[in-house]
Amino acid sequence: MVRTIWSNCDDVEFRDIRAGDTRVTIFWVGTLIDKLLVQTGIVEPLIRLKEPITGLEALEQLLPIPSYRQTDKLQELNQAVGSGMAAILVENGEQAVIIDVASFTERPIEKSDLEPSVIGPQAAFVENLQSNIALLRRRLSSPRVKMEFSTIGTISQTQVAMLYVDGVVKPEYVEETRKRLKRICIDGIFDANYVDELIKDEPYSLFPTVQSTERPDRVAAGLLEGRVSIMIDGTPLVILVPVSFFGLLQSDEDYYQNFITASAVRLLRHCAFWLSLLTPSLYVALLTYHQEMIPTVLLVTLVKSREGVPFPAFVEMLLMEFSFEILREAGVRLPRGIGQSVSIVGALVVGEAAVNAGIVSPLVVIVEALTGIASFSVPSFYLGSSVRFLRFPFVLLAGAFGLYGIVIAFLILLTHLVSLRSFGVPYFAPVAPSIGKDMKDVFVRVPWWKMRTRPQMFEPVDAKRGQNNPVSDSESRDER
């Protein structure tokens, strides 16, 4: 039957050999296995066998490869072979032996491109699930770090691992994550965003309600806070749930440098986030409706710089925003060396040419440059992407109603953020609702000796950092 199922698959190899008096069939996917290991660890020991095989246990003892298991399920057998394992079928046998002989070409462990840092650990996840688990286990070697495997994708059969720290995470988070993963029904999973969209609470929101990261240190820190991690084979991004809005504005470097410096940088980052959202709309509102709020000398300079510009301020700003986004997207799609040059040179050339042609004023170019630089300070790529598109409705409302339009848009945005949930946790916690104990690591970071408790918004079972697992301790006493 397996030959029929794997028919027209030229990369699948079958080999029939005689082991003693028993006919044995071995098959594997040739592009996924270590052929030398198959030859020396499976084929040659079976060929040398002179006595008949009395059972699968005897067959397993004969083979020098330690990683194997038995199965009597055809689906499990096919899935294992498609994942890079070899299967041994014994004549007239009801079960098969699956042996791990996988050998993949994988990318070496490198620095993170999505979340670069100057200080602290530099290693980033890769596309291989086993390598990613090893990176995390090096940081959290305790047996309290639990792991559950599952398979998602009816055709891709992608392996997914759920990780959490027993005795720290709230059990309801683990159960809810397990339920959401089980109800995923899709042909294939090729990136973390597939799972992201299928499990998050608010799929229509621009803001990420799950956290995606490619840094092992961030995942380890999240697990110690009482969160759940989801690793997906084939992608370097790892999901953390639940997450808060303010957690997305935190950087790993905040914890790798002096707490005073880290607090100042974090406050600067918060300011930069709101500047990247509000600066273009404030320019439009002040210049269109509220000139009396601008100092006279500056207003005269602005009026002179806008002489000959044929567009109103909000059209001028929308044109620059649109051009900047096109340049950014073009820089991403081109090869890295060329893309950076196109982004920088393109912005300078286009901005200078637009000013000389009288299409836009010089101040608009300055405002757009300040906005772009401020947006680059957001640590989370997905949070920064949401702000990129929110600037357009803010500019439109500012052009229609002035500062009143900005206030209306900001209140709508704030209401939306407060109403969001991430696996039941308020997205704007610990500010709304206010959790006093968690405020020590929101806008500033207090020293480590002051952060003795885990974030209360995640409702950890063991709220105090550094304690042993009381359940494990009681079990060890009972055993003694």
Side-chain angles (χ1 to χ4, degrees), residues 120-415:
Q122 300 295 319
F125 288 122
V126 293
E127 286 77 11
N128 184 275
L129 179 60
Q130 301 304 322
S131 298
N132 293 342
I133 293 173
L135 285 171
L136 187 63
R137 281 290 186 186
R138 288 183 60 187
R139 290 160 175 80
L140 301 175
S141 57
S142 170
R144 293 176 61 183
V145 180
K146 307 300 181 183
M147 189 179 309
E148 299 179 13
F149 289 99
S150 59
T151 302
I152 299 178
T154 56
I155 297 178
S156 69
Q157 297 288 294
T158 305
Q159 196 172 27
V160 176
M162 180 180 68
L163 299 93
Y164 57 92
V165 178
D166 187 32
V168 174
V169 66
K170 185 180 178 182
E172 286 78 1
Y173 293 157
V174 178
E175 184 60 31
E176 182 64 24
T177 305
R178 190 183 293 123
K179 286 181 180 178
R180 296 191 187 191
L181 289 176
K182 284 183 178 179
R183 69 175 182 231
I184 293 177
C185 182
I186 194 172
D187 288 340
I189 297 289
F190 307 110
D191 185 70
N193 188 64
Y194 285 66
V195 178
D196 180 337
E197 291 189 5
L198 292 167
I199 68 171
K200 66 182 182 181
D201 297 69
E202 302 289 341
Y204 295 104
S205 174
L206 276 176
F207 291 88
T209 52
V210 302
Q211 184 176 5
S212 296
T213 178
E214 59 179 4
R215 295 184 61 94
D217 52 337
R218 173 163 288 189
V219 175
L223 293 179
L224 293 179
E225 290 177 345
R227 301 159 73 186
V228 180
S229 170
I230 302 172
M231 287 186 174
I232 303 153
D233 192 23
T235 175
L237 291 177
V238 175
I239 294 174
L240 277 171
V241 293
V243 68
S244 71
F245 171 81
F246 298 99
L248 296 173
L249 287 172
Q250 296 174 357
S251 172
D252 301 283
E253 290 181 313
D254 294 348
Y255 305 95
Y256 302 150
Q257 58 183 328
N258 180 273
F259 68 94
I260 299 175
T261 305
S263 299
V265 173
R266 185 177 290 183
L267 284 171
L268 182 64
R269 196 181 300 129
H270 279 268
C271 294
F273 172 80
W274 295 110
L275 277 175
S276 68
L277 176 64
L278 298 174
T279 302
S281 56
L282 284 173
Y283 168 82
V284 172
L286 292 176
L287 205 59
T288 305
Y289 295 100
H290 309 284
Q291 296 91 343
E292 70 278 1
M293 299 179 66
I294 305 174
T296 304
V297 176
L298 178 59
L299 182 60
V300 171
T301 303
L302 291 177
V303 171
K304 288 182 178 180
S305 67
R306 284 188 50 80
E307 288 181 355
V309 176
F311 304 112
F314 84 95
V315 175
E316 185 183 16
M317 182 57 68
L318 287 176
L319 285 174
M320 285 303 299
E321 279 284 344
F322 189 67
S323 302
F324 184 78
E325 292 301 330
I326 290 177
L327 285 171
R328 181 188 293 190
E329 189 67 16
V332 171
R333 301 303 158 208
L334 289 170
R336 183 177 301 179
I338 303 175
Q340 293 177 354
S341 302
V342 169
S343 298
I344 298 172
V345 176
L348 292 174
V349 172
V350 171
E352 182 68 21
V355 171
N356 291 336
I359 299 175
V360 297
S361 63
L363 186 60
V364 168
V365 178
I366 296 174
V367 170
E368 186 60 33
L370 175 64
T371 301
I373 293 171
S375 66
F376 294 147
S377 66
V378 180
S380 172
F381 173 80
Y382 299 97
L383 182 61
S385 297
S386 64
V387 175
R388 288 169 57 186
F389 298 103
L390 281 175
R391 286 198 290 264
F392 288 95
F394 267 79
V395 169
L396 288 173
L397 286 172
F401 305 106
L403 288 177
Y404 299 104
I406 297 177
V407 171
I408 292 171
F410 186 77
L411 289 176
I412 293 173
L413 174 63
L414 197 61
T415 303

Side-chain angles (χ1 to χ4, degrees), residues 30 32-39 101-103:
L32 300 179
I33 57 98
D34 185 340
K35 294 189 176 182
L36 180 61
L37 182 59
V38 171
Q39 181 66 27
V101 290
S103 177

Side-chain angles (χ1 to χ4, degrees), residues 246 417-418 420-421 424-436 438-439 457:
F246 298 99
L417 290 174
V418 173
L420 291 177
R421 294 288 185 274
V425 175
Y427 194 57
F428 226 56
V431 174
S434 178
I435 304 174
D438 290 351
M439 294 300 293
M457 58 184 168

